[in-house]
Amino acid sequence: MFQVFLLKKIRKPGVLLLAILGLSVIQGCSTPQEAVVEDDFAQYVDPYIGSDYHGHVFVGANVPFGAVQPGPTNYIKGWDWCSGYHYSDSIMTGFSQLHLSGTGIGDLGDVLISPYTGDILFSPGTIKEPLAGYASMYSHDREKVEPGYYEVDLLDYDVNVKLTASERVSFHEYTFPENNASRIAINLELGIGWDAPVTTRLEQINDTTLAGFRHSKGWAEDQELYYAIVLSRPIDNLDLHTDQGEIEGSLAQGRDVVGVLTYSTAAEEAIQLKVGISPVSHEAALKNIESEIPHWDFSQVKAEAREKWNNELGKIKIDVPDVETKRKFYTAMYHSFIAPVLFNDHDGSYRGTDKKVYQNPGFNNYSVFSLWDTYRANHPLFNIVQPEKVNDMINSMLAIYEQQGKLPVWHLMGNETNCMVGYSAVPVVSDAFFKGFDGFDEQTAFEAVLATSNNDEFGLDELKEKGYIPADKEKESVSKALEYAISDWAIARFAEKMGDSENAAYYHDRSRAYEKYFDPETRFMRPIMSNGEFKSPFNPFQSVHEVGDYTEGNAWQYTWMVPHDVQGLIDLMGGDDAFEAKFDSFFVVSGDMGAEASPDISGLIGQYAQGNEPSHHAAYMYAFAGRQWKTAEKVRHIMDEFYTDQPDGIIGNEDCGQMSAWYIFSSMGFYPVNPSSSVMVLGSPDLDRAEVKLPGDKTFTMIAHNNSKENIYIQSATLNGDDLERSYITYKEIMNGGVLELTMGDTPNKQFGTAPENRPIEELP
Ligand SMILES: [Ca+2]
Ligand SMILES: [Ca+2]
């Protein structure tokens, strides 16, 4: 075991391959299922990537899109602990069952379980006195994390912890030293970030079963989590504590219940526990355990979790000579498939946004929809490599619409947080419809996008009345209007397909609202006041977090926020050359964003910010002006500079998979600039070959000939053997299967994709 830890520590790419080979030999000896084989893509995943800096990724053991994310939890010392864990830390309070991955706000961290030895303690300690309770020091040298598995030694107690999971059940194994005071604390008080307990309950059902609930407020205003815990060995003793003090008996209910289990353990004795969760009841949580893990074979669950990950990771097989790029790619795939998460019981039942329990509705209900982020590339990626889950995700969004009157904005465990701006479920639902997914009711979907875009909130009433949102009436008015316009483009096309020409015309008009914001003098998207004049004074660099005119950005960044009508923006700018000149400046200008600028704006190239979503489509816009080769330069630079295989290798919040989805598309050489159109704009692939597994046993293969760090420019392209003159491919061309071949070189072919007919156009499948 210790050798494994040592090998894991080696991080120089040159010796990494040896490390991985060494790792595989050790694992192969103990558990044959884990021998490194050709199809073991999980070997390239390093869940530490993005756990340092502002990546905020989850570190722990889960299965793809699983409801539980058991993992280590630190004291929450600020923004960088939104997932509960940061690479820089060295003290953990225990192992909670739910974690967010990559968000900019912290919540969850429910049911914190902590093994320790010694006196009975009901608290891990505090930030000021971090080791005053049962919290423990740990070290990355004696910690191991891989898809579906987490292991650590708690240095203060000589306790080894192993975690794995099924969809709705966390599986913990604690190996204690010989001790007559081995403890397991179950803490229902503590959570992450904005979380705070409201009412919690812990009851001993029998000598191996505990159950209860944790109701909390926070980012999710009213979160109801039910749980059951089954232990491999009868409890010797249970001590209960609440804010009222110590509680006699086997049941405690209060704001912050803590239970401490006591065991007398022999040397190296392992005590296992399975934690089932449910949004419905603790009885359902117990049933989830019985359905998903009806045995105590930890290594079997661990092997199954790895297999589940390999099945998802293997949907794209890649070829590239360096291991670093393989690690970047498969870790990006891993991060893109954490959320949304299942939010139902094994039998399909779930609790809706209206708090009612819905018996199995015939689809898998999901939660954790970070849509302002994920509509851009993560959902378009799902439409290619997660087609069997798309209908369930759309049905989950439509159920939310029926329960709360609008599609989700940022949905968290049955709660609408209304986080960020826009109604970005609209392009996701519309796109699924355009792309032929038919496992949901299209009339309901159409009704949902119309209703969502008609709610008189967040500036929409003003938009409907004036055609723009006055900056003196609504904060973040420019971002809101631009995001609405993107979504309204999708509604216009949806209406066309539904034969509703009146709505098609109305939403087409609304999709052009961006034109009003364009100030021809400064040539920026600029806030407009109620009197119709542009807001003054105006500083295109200034960003004011949360209350300014631009959401986590400034005028330089938002001026390009027209992915649905790039040609329209080019026309406003005065044509290709004028657009190019201004766009070139975007990547070189520097200026003071001010003291109140959002910390989300990171990964800067000039004012382009790869660390945050508003820039994500932008580098591909050169292709619309016939300068595809400049897109190639920018995307290769971004992939090299802002994505690495180190813990700080993600340049901003991962945001539930969006940062990684950008890399997955870009590394294959194309990107969905307008997420609800069919067009995938060509960039410059980081990979030499990518084989995308598609429904119907089809494969889409991208081959980059003569590709290298210098040969970043597309010289020529073919699709299925025919010359491809255009700088884009379509969703349909991908899903039909086939071969895209790009021949690369070290000098730009300035003719590639330059003729007007070869540039990206807006096109539906
Ligand atoms: Ca909570
Ligand atoms: Ca972000």
Side-chain angles (χ1 to χ4, degrees):
M1 182 49 61
F2 195 62
Q3 278 173 300
V4 174
F5 287 134
L6 281 179
L7 287 164
K8 185 75 186 174
K9 240 179 90 178
I10 300 168
R11 291 196 167 270
K12 284 185 189 147
V15 283
L16 190 71
L17 182 61
L18 286 173
I20 286 167
L21 291 173
L23 197 66
S24 72
V25 171
I26 290 163
Q27 292 184 333
C29 294
S30 55
T31 45
Q33 305 97 312
E34 289 180 9
V36 171
V37 292
E38 198 192 354
D39 290 339
D40 186 34
F41 307 96
Q43 68 180 299
Y44 299 112
V45 175
D46 183 353
Y48 282 137
I49 297 174
S51 67
D52 206 343
Y53 190 55
H54 302 322
H56 297 187
V57 300
F58 162 63
V59 171
N62 64 338
V63 298
F65 308 103
V68 289
Q69 308 84 28
T73 307
N74 306 133
Y75 288 106
I76 309 306
K77 291 184 281 295
W79 191 51
D80 282 330
W81 278 261
C82 284
S83 79
Y85 179 97
H86 193 258
Y87 192 77
S88 62
D89 215 318
S90 58
I91 296 174
M92 57 179 66
T93 56
F95 307 90
S96 46
Q97 315 313 305
L98 300 184
H99 293 86
L100 292 163
S101 187
T103 59
I105 298 173
D107 200 338
L108 309 185
D110 303 73
V111 190
L112 180 75
I113 305 183
S114 314
Y116 68 98
T117 58
D119 295 344
I120 291 175
L121 301 166
F122 295 104
S123 158
T126 61
I127 290 177
K128 279 188 177 166
E129 290 186 282
L131 296 171
Y134 53 69
S136 175
M137 301 286 294
Y138 68 98
S139 159
H140 296 312
D141 294 347
R142 292 172 64 180
E143 184 184 44
K144 184 182 179 192
V145 56
E146 58 188 52
Y149 182 64
Y150 175 85
E151 179 175 350
V152 72
D153 286 339
L154 297 179
L155 302 177
D156 291 17
Y157 306 110
D158 195 21
V159 173
N160 171 268
V161 174
K162 297 181 175 73
L163 304 173
T164 189
S166 63
E167 279 70 16
R168 298 167 187 83
V169 183
S170 308
F171 199 157
H172 302 226
E173 181 174 296
Y174 305 146
T175 304
F176 285 97
E178 183 176 358
N179 202 306
N180 60 9
S182 289
R183 321 277 186 192
I184 299 173
I186 300 162
N187 186 317
L188 302 176
E189 177 192 5
L190 295 173
I192 295 168
W194 293 5
D195 176 89
V198 175
T199 314
T200 65
R201 178 184 172 99
L202 176 62
E203 182 179 13
Q204 184 174 345
I205 309 284
N206 59 44
D207 63 0
T208 54
T209 308
L210 305 153
F213 61 75
R214 183 172 190 274
H215 293 179
S216 60
K217 59 185 179 181
W219 192 14
E221 257 175 32
D222 181 12
Q223 184 197 356
E224 293 186 33
L225 177 82
Y226 298 87
Y227 69 91
I229 301 172
V230 179
L231 294 134
S232 62
R233 216 193 93 176
I235 302 160
D236 292 350
N237 192 44
L238 168 67
D239 288 272
L240 291 167
H241 190 275
T242 72
D243 43 311
Q244 307 299 315
E246 290 206 37
I247 303 288
E248 292 297 317
S250 59
L251 166 69
Q253 184 165 326
R255 190 177 63 87
D256 47 13
V257 172
V258 180
V260 175
L261 317 181
T262 296
Y263 287 100
S264 181
T265 52
E268 301 278 303
E269 180 174 350
I271 292 176
Q272 297 175 317
L273 54 98
K274 296 182 279 196
V275 188
I277 64 156
S278 165
V280 173
S281 67
H282 76 252
E283 290 87 353
L286 196 55
K287 264 192 206 153
N288 290 339
I289 299 176
E290 288 158 4
S291 306
E292 293 186 359
I293 314 183
H295 58 78
W296 291 101
D297 188 343
F298 185 93
S299 58
Q300 185 189 329
V301 178
K302 179 188 169 191
E304 285 167 0
R306 191 177 183 91
E307 193 185 341
K308 286 169 191 172
W309 276 113
N310 273 325
N311 289 340
E312 300 304 331
L313 300 169
K315 287 180 171 174
I316 305 180
K317 291 187 181 181
I318 63 166
D319 190 13
V320 65
D322 64 297
V323 174
E324 183 190 349
T325 304
K326 281 184 184 159
R327 285 162 52 80
K328 282 162 62 171
F329 183 85
Y330 283 112
T331 305
M333 290 278 279
Y334 169 78
H335 283 145
S336 284
F337 301 154
I338 289 177
V341 304
L342 285 169
F343 187 62
N344 65 359
D345 288 325
H346 192 77
D347 70 3
S349 305
Y350 74 100
R351 189 180 298 272
T353 306
D354 53 6
K355 304 296 165 193
K356 290 182 191 148
V357 172
Y358 291 83
Q359 301 305 322
N360 184 3
F363 61 86
N364 255 328
N365 190 60
Y366 285 89
S367 187
V368 185
F369 287 113
S370 183
L371 287 155
W372 180 83
D373 305 292
T374 56
Y375 90 90
R376 300 166 204 268
N378 213 15
H379 283 283
L381 180 68
F382 293 160
N383 288 343
I384 297 172
V385 296
Q386 297 292 349
E388 68 285 354
K389 295 188 180 67
V390 170
N391 287 322
D392 284 349
M393 290 182 195
I394 301 301
N395 277 315
S396 303
M397 293 186 207
L398 296 182
I400 289 168
Y401 155 66
E402 286 177 331
Q403 293 156 14
Q404 70 177 27
K406 66 175 184 179
L407 287 164
V409 176
W410 208 125
H411 233 255
L412 181 57
M413 304 301 170
N415 287 261
E416 180 56 80
T417 68
N418 279 321
C419 189
M420 307 312 291
V421 299
Y423 33 79
S424 303
V426 164
V428 176
V429 170
S430 305
D431 194 34
F433 168 71
F434 299 150
K435 287 176 177 161
F437 291 93
D438 58 3
F440 55 89
D441 185 76
E442 66 184 47
Q443 277 297 341
T444 307
F446 187 49
E447 185 190 304
V449 301
L450 291 177
T452 301
S453 60
N454 261 307
N455 268 338
D456 286 338
E457 57 176 3
F458 306 127
L460 270 171
D461 46 350
E462 300 277 354
L463 180 75
K464 285 193 279 187
E465 191 194 314
K466 290 183 144 74
Y468 67 92
I469 304 172
D472 44 344
K473 295 270 178 70
E474 186 76 26
K475 63 178 183 168
E476 302 181 301
S477 62
V478 182
S479 306
K480 282 174 184 165
L482 295 177
E483 291 289 352
Y484 295 152
I486 294 167
S487 293
D488 290 343
W489 185 92
I491 301 175
R493 297 303 174 276
F494 204 152
E496 272 170 27
K497 284 218 162 192
M498 297 299 278
D500 181 345
S501 55
E502 197 178 319
N503 272 315
Y506 171 69
Y507 283 98
H508 176 72
D509 200 42
R510 270 176 55 165
S511 78
R512 294 173 61 191
Y514 73 88
E515 293 174 353
K516 294 193 177 64
Y517 285 86
F518 186 78
D519 169 17
E521 282 203 7
T522 61
R523 303 197 316 136
F524 285 105
M525 295 293 177
R526 194 170 159 182
I528 313 171
M529 304 300 280
S530 293
N531 64 8
E533 288 176 12
F534 287 116
K535 185 178 171 182
S536 291
F538 171 67
N539 175 354
F541 290 98
Q542 189 183 41
S543 166
V544 181
H545 190 51
E546 288 186 331
V547 293
D549 301 309
Y550 305 87
T551 303
E552 299 179 358
N554 60 22
W556 265 114
Q557 286 142 10
Y558 271 90
T559 292
W560 317 102
M561 188 52 75
V562 193
H564 59 294
D565 189 13
V566 184
Q567 188 57 50
L569 180 64
I570 292 171
D571 293 344
L572 284 178
M573 294 266 182
D576 293 340
D577 292 341
F579 175 86
E580 182 188 20
K582 178 110 182 166
F583 205 44
D584 284 347
S585 300
F586 177 46
F587 290 97
V588 292
V589 288
S590 63
D592 185 6
M593 292 193 282
E596 295 164 276
S598 169
D600 300 83
I601 308 167
S602 58
L604 290 176
I605 309 172
Q607 286 297 291
Y608 175 93
Q610 180 63 24
N612 207 21
E613 283 68 19
S615 285
H616 277 188
H617 65 290
Y620 287 88
M621 293 174 93
Y622 275 120
F624 291 77
R627 275 74 162 174
Q628 195 281 337
W629 58 277
K630 284 196 174 179
T631 288
E633 285 175 0
K634 294 294 177 265
V635 297
R636 282 296 274 266
H637 177 74
I638 294 163
M639 286 190 278
D640 283 348
E641 289 296 312
F642 297 137
Y643 291 86
T644 77
D645 69 344
Q646 299 300 303
D648 62 358
I650 301 178
I651 198 66
N653 292 171
E654 163 67 3
D655 285 322
C656 299
Q658 171 58 28
M659 282 287 280
S660 287
W662 186 94
Y663 179 79
I664 293 165
F665 272 117
S666 294
S667 70
M668 293 195 290
F670 47 87
Y671 189 84
V673 169
N674 175 0
S676 42
S677 94
S678 180
V679 172
M680 306 274 170
V681 179
L682 296 179
S684 177
D686 216 9
L687 307 172
D688 293 350
R689 185 186 180 97
E691 288 178 27
V692 185
K693 207 166 120 184
L694 300 167
D697 279 334
K698 291 178 188 163
T699 304
F700 179 80
T701 305
M702 185 286 299
I703 303 169
H705 299 289
N706 203 25
N707 196 25
S708 71
K709 294 283 179 208
E710 295 74 39
N711 295 350
I712 63 170
Y713 300 105
I714 299 173
Q715 306 298 297
S716 62
T718 64
L719 184 65
N720 302 323
D722 297 331
D723 284 347
L724 184 76
E725 310 276 350
R726 51 190 153 91
S727 59
Y728 66 96
I729 55 175
T730 68
Y731 177 76
K732 196 178 263 177
E733 286 166 346
I734 293 171
M735 299 311 279
N736 283 344
V739 184
L740 171 70
E741 292 183 73
L742 304 172
T743 300
M744 311 301 290
D746 64 1
T747 48
N749 171 6
K750 294 186 179 176
Q751 299 312 307
F752 180 74
T754 298
E757 66 272 21
N758 291 329
R759 301 179 190 182
I761 50 158
E762 289 314 331
E763 187 178 317
L764 294 176

